[in-house]
Amino acid sequence: MKKIAFSILISLFFSLPAFSKTNVVVSYQYIEDILNKIGKDKIIVFSLSKGTSDPHFIVPKPSLISKARNADLLVINGGELEIGWIPPILNQANNPNIQSGSKGFLDLSNHIKLIEKMENFSRAYGDVHPNGNPHFILNPDNVIIISKLLTEKLSELDPINKDFYKKNNLDFTKKWNEKLSIWSNKMKNSKGKKVIQYHKLYNHFLEKYGLKSINTIELLPGINPTPKHISDVIKQIKDENVKIILQDVYHNQNSSKLVSDKSGIPYILLPHDVGSLSNITDIFSLFDNIVDKISK
């Protein structure tokens, strides 16, 4: 009887909420990385996408739906970046805990100031985001806002460990502020530099450090360039003394290579998320890489 009673006590002990981990699913790997720095061994995090993926287009596979079905918390970038693939996952997962408006749902974009909001929305402008440019993670100032939001949400869902989360966020914020100072110093001589992008992916970063994106190689968001557009871009590069072309990893690089060859300016391959290049292992190396490449 003593053995049975002991077994029951042990079972009850390990079934207490204090020993359960918060199960989190996120839309992108940068969110996963920041969460892991705050939650550490108190949480389990799964990213629904890879860093090399086009963030607009993720296939809602059954394996992703299964992950969402068992989640306590869903964190998305928002700003309509996931509008084509998160809703199907939510619908098929049928998990009331992570539906929009629930305690276990967090849309980061609702707490970030987006740039380039559209007053007159039309699909004639391509695959645009009327509420603003959703690639706000590429302004390093927003990372501190996001880490605070994630800390507050974890503390709400798991109040027993709130002091643990707050301490980890304080440590993270201190390190991040130190890096912000280093990055600002490296970027100060790049202020005013003119660039061309393939896609309007880095505008939040460029605005932060005072660079100017004068055009994109794609004709419109989501629309491949025409020969005439490429010719116009090459002429603009020469006329306006553009210094570099910024190319992301998930769009075809052929057009950027062609423009680079014809204009005589380099194009640089930049990461946009954790895991988008092999050496981008966390949120710190993401910005180290972008800053080092653009500030040369």
Side-chain angles (χ1 to χ4, degrees):
M1 290 297 293
K2 288 182 178 180
K3 289 183 178 179
I4 293 173
F6 181 76
S7 297
I8 293 172
L9 285 172
I10 290 295
S11 177
L12 289 171
F13 183 77
F14 283 101
S15 66
L16 290 173
F19 292 92
S20 62
K21 296 185 179 184
T22 302
N23 190 1
V24 189
V25 291
V26 302
S27 54
Y28 302 116
Q29 285 193 240
Y30 82 83
I31 307 173
E32 177 184 24
D33 183 64
I34 300 171
L35 270 168
N36 276 325
K37 286 175 168 48
I38 297 165
K40 297 188 177 180
D41 62 342
K42 306 298 183 185
I43 64 174
I44 299 172
V45 191
F46 178 80
S47 175
L48 298 170
S49 69
K50 301 296 183 184
T52 52
S53 305
D54 183 335
H56 306 82
F57 305 109
I58 307 299
V59 179
K61 298 182 294 185
S63 59
L64 304 184
I65 295 166
S66 177
K67 291 290 185 180
R69 185 174 292 126
N70 299 312
D72 303 306
L73 172 63
L74 169 65
V75 184
I76 67 170
N77 182 94
E80 299 191 343
L81 190 56
E82 303 101 333
I83 194 170
W85 59 276
I86 283 292
I89 290 177
L90 279 174
N91 290 338
Q92 295 181 65
N94 195 28
N95 180 351
N97 295 326
I98 61 170
Q99 298 297 319
S100 178
S102 71
K103 184 178 178 181
F105 178 86
L106 177 59
D107 181 332
L108 298 175
S109 69
N110 290 337
H111 308 271
I112 302 288
K113 182 180 179 181
L114 302 187
I115 61 175
E116 302 167 4
K117 290 187 177 183
M118 298 186 67
E119 294 183 4
N120 299 308
F121 169 69
S122 171
R123 284 298 173 192
Y125 299 121
D127 185 16
V128 294
H129 302 279
N131 294 323
N133 189 313
H135 305 291
F136 52 80
I137 186 57
L138 294 172
N139 179 340
D141 290 341
N142 290 332
V143 172
I144 293 176
I145 299 172
I146 291 168
S147 72
K148 184 173 183 291
L149 288 168
L150 296 175
T151 300
E152 291 171 349
K153 180 55 69 173
L154 289 177
S155 298
E156 179 185 4
L157 294 174
D158 179 21
I160 291 174
N161 291 307
K162 65 179 181 180
D163 290 338
F164 176 81
Y165 301 136
K166 289 179 180 178
K167 179 186 181 302
N168 291 339
N169 185 50
L170 284 174
D171 293 342
F172 173 77
T173 301
K174 180 182 177 181
K175 293 176 184 177
W176 195 258
N177 281 327
E178 290 170 356
K179 294 294 287 190
L180 280 174
S181 178
I182 293 170
W183 294 327
S184 292
N185 186 57
K186 287 185 175 182
M187 289 298 299
K188 63 183 180 182
N189 292 331
S190 296
K191 187 174 182 180
K193 182 187 290 186
K194 294 180 180 179
V195 305
I196 294 281
Q197 300 178 81
Y198 184 89
H199 177 73
K200 290 183 178 180
L201 184 56
Y202 299 97
N203 284 12
H204 281 275
F205 179 91
L206 300 176
E207 182 178 84
K208 157 72 176 172
Y209 292 111
L211 287 78
K212 184 177 181 182
S213 179
I214 66 167
N215 208 337
T216 60
I217 290 178
E218 63 179 353
L219 182 62
L220 293 169
I223 307 297
N224 291 331
T226 62
K228 182 182 184 306
H229 179 67
I230 287 178
S231 178
D232 290 343
V233 168
I234 293 169
K235 183 178 185 303
Q236 189 175 21
I237 287 172
K238 294 177 179 179
D239 290 345
E240 299 194 35
N241 193 29
V242 177
K243 298 299 183 182
I244 50 174
I245 300 165
L246 310 183
Q247 171 71 43
D248 59 82
V249 303
Y250 60 86
H251 285 110
N252 189 291
Q253 299 176 39
N254 290 339
S255 294
S256 290
K257 290 178 180 178
L258 175 61
V259 172
S260 175
D261 290 341
K262 297 294 184 181
S263 65
I265 67 170
Y267 88 95
I268 55 176
L269 188 64
L270 292 178
H272 68 284
D273 194 3
V274 174
S276 54
L277 292 173
S278 61
N279 60 333
I280 309 304
T281 56
D282 68 357
I283 194 74
F284 288 96
S285 57
L286 173 66
F287 283 95
D288 280 338
N289 190 279
I290 294 173
V291 167
D292 287 346
K293 287 179 176 177
I294 291 182
S295 63
K296 283 184 179 179

